[in-house]
């Protein structure tokens, strides 16, 4: 029963998976460009970000069509409305990866040791994004909760990055411009963690019907 | 949250069981119906929702071989009690059916029929009742110049509103609607839905509907019936966004069976 509708929901899931994969590609590339200080790799990020913009439109189309033609309720409605909210965060993740890549292209004079901490931060952020999308596709409540818990790790990294950059600026005023670039990059990774958290919160809504923000305000 | 806003209950079904011969059509139905709200009864064909609706004004009494156990309390009084006068019960709990069934007489006489039965003869008083009922049923402007014409000459949607006006003419407190829009076009349907929402400030409306979107649009509370059982009852938004029972979810998302 409702075979056609179920097929369309599967298409939506496949598109979300594809969009999630693009997000991972974008930030993994941006992080690699940073760690290898490679302009060539950095130049590959903007096209992925554009592809994410296009995917956002595609998924919106699917969701609006399903809302209009299938008039979903209960779990179906939650899944579709969660997807509609999540793609905004996914698209922003692409933008931030692009912002990071842009800084990498213009950045100069940064030493590998300063970048190291950011590399670890990037790995945490990438994992959050991967897990949040997986959690949606598998409707996995536990994984979504883990993503939300992981955000603290990324935030801690950002605090450590800030501290180390302040140290550098005090000790080596010549490195000021590099420190500011790295601070911006750190902030973008921190924002990416927040977007992954938002995605995970919508997964929780999709599974349980409760949004975490409502839970927190109670 | 909604529990607090529910206000008073007007009808309580208490362990209601109904048998048509060997067929156990309603099984232990217990729930309270809130006053001045619209309650929708949903469920697949044969689930007992219409049977339940009919027990509320004793329309099942006429079915041969019917046996009813348990209680239906209307304002605290068992409507199956010995002292209950069924005619006066039906004056308080009126019904509108799936198919519009105006009497083969003038529009005026259709509406005046009930009040006359209850002894009102004064022409001015009847005029007043007819106008008020037709206005309440949102059809006055369409028929005020043809009150003496046959009600059978009206469209399906108009006939259904005449039937609603006829039910309102005896000033009931509860209006039972049994798939009252299922034979109507979307415009007539939305007129009757709007009407139900208007009426709930003064009446309690209980409607059986096969149209899930209709239950969502108009009802405050929804009861889901399956195989003679009440599976779930709750505020409509909760039932349709996160139903507690898997069977409710399967039915409303169209994955039943």
């Amino acid at each position: 029963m409702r075979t056609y509708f179920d097929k369309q929901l599967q298409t939506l899931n496949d598109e979300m998976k594809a969009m999630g994969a693009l997000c991972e590609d974008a930030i993994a590339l941006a992080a690699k460009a940073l760690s290898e200080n490679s302009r060539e790799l950095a130049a590959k990020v903007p096209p992925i970000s554009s592809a994410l913009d296009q995917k956002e439109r595609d998924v919106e189309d699917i969701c609006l069509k399903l809302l209009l033609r299938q008039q979903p309720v209960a779990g179906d409605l939650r899944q579709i409305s969660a997807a509609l909210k999540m793609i905004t965060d996914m698209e922003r993740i692409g933008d931030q990866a692009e912002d990071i890549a842009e800084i990498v292209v213009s950045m100069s004079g940064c030493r590998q040791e300063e970048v190291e901490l950011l590399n670890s931060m990037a790995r945490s952020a990438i994992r959050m994004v991967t897990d949040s999308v997986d959690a949606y596709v598998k409707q996995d409540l536990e994984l979504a909760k883990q993503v939300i818990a992981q955000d603290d790790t990324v935030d801690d990294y950002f605090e450590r990055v800030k501290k180390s950059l302040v140290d550098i600026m005090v000790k080596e005023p010549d490195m000021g411009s590099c420190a500011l670039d790295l601070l911006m990059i750190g902030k973008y990774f921190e924002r990416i963690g927040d977007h992954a958290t938002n995605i995970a919160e919508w997964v929780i809504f999709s599974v349980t019907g409760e949004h975490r923000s409502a839970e927190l305000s109670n | 949250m909604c529990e607090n806003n529910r206000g008073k209950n007007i009808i309580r079904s208490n362990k209601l069981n109904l048998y048509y011969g060997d067929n156990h059509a309603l099984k232990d139905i217990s729930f309270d119906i809130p006053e001045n709200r619209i309650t929708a009864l949903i469920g697949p064909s044969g689930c007992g929702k219409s049977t339940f609706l009919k027990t509320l004004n004793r329309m099942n009494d006429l079915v041969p071989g019917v046996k009813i156990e348990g209680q239906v309390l209307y304002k605290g009084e068992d409507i199956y009690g010995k002292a209950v006068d069924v005619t006066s019960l039906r004056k308080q709990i009126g019904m509108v059916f799936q198919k519009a069934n105006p009497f083969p007489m003038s529009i005026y006489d259709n509406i005046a029929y009930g009040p006359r039965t209850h002894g009102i003869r004064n022409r001015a008083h009847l005029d007043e009742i007819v106008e008020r009922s037709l206005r309440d049923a949102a059809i006055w402007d369409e028929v005020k110049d043809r009150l003496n014409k046959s009600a059978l000459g009206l469209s399906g949607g108009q006939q259904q509103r005449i039937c609603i006006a006829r039910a309102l003419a005896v000033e009931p407190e509860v209006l039972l609607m049994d798939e009252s829009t299922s034979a109507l076009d979307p415009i007539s349907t939305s007129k009757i839905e709007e009407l139900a929402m208007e009426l709930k400030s003064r009446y309690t409306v209980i409607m059986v509907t096969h149209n899930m979107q209709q239950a969502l649009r108009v009802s405050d509370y929804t009861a889901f019936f399956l195989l003679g059982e009440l599976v779930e009852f709750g505020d409509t938004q909760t039932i349709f966004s996160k139903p507690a029972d898997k069977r409710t979810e399967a039915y409303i998302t169209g994955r039943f069976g």
Side-chain angles (χ1 to χ4, degrees), chain B residues 166-180:
Chain B
R166 190 177 62 194
L168 297 179
V170 294
E171 300 184 20
E173 301 215 19
V174 179
L175 198 57
L176 308 177
M177 301 175 87
D178 192 0
E179 292 186 56
S180 304

Side-chain angles (χ1 to χ4, degrees), chain B residues 36 41 62 69 80 117 120 167 202 220 240 254:
Chain B
N36 293 119
L41 311 179
L62 308 169
E69 292 166 354
Y80 286 93
T117 310
I120 298 173
R202 285 174 290 148
D220 302 293
F240 282 93

Side-chain angles (χ1 to χ4, degrees), chain A residues 109-147:
Chain A
C110 289
R111 290 182 303 246
Q112 204 50 41
E113 55 198 88
E114 274 96 51
V115 174
E116 203 41 55
L117 196 55
L118 277 175
N119 287 338
S120 309
M121 187 178 179
R123 277 192 291 277
S124 278
I126 292 170
R127 187 160 155 222
M128 283 181 74
V129 173
T130 309
D131 286 352
S132 63
V133 175
D134 271 2
Y136 172 79
V137 171
K138 296 176 188 151
Q139 296 283 293
D140 184 337
L141 191 59
E142 282 314 306
L143 190 55
K145 286 181 179 164
Q146 281 172 32
V147 171

Side-chain angles (χ1 to χ4, degrees), chain A residues 1-2 5-6 9 71 73-76 78 208 210, chain B residues 213 216 240-243 249 252-257:
Chain A
M1 238 182 251
R2 293 210 93 172
F5 180 37
D6 285 336
L9 283 176
Q71 309 201 349
V73 293
D76 299 332
R78 299 201 305 268
T208 66
E210 301 284 344
Chain B
Q213 265 63 41
L216 264 166
F240 282 93
S241 58
K242 45 172 189 170
E249 170 115 15
I252 62 177
T253 62
R255 292 187 182 79
F256 184 75

Side-chain angles (χ1 to χ4, degrees), chain B residues 14-38:
Chain B
N14 187 20
K15 294 190 176 148
L16 183 72
N17 282 280
L18 184 144
Y19 304 80
Y20 292 126
D22 292 338
N23 176 13
H24 194 173
L26 290 176
K27 299 170 185 165
D28 259 335
I29 308 294
S30 292
F31 73 116
D32 293 340
I33 295 176
E35 189 169 24
N36 293 119
R37 296 285 184 274
I38 301 178

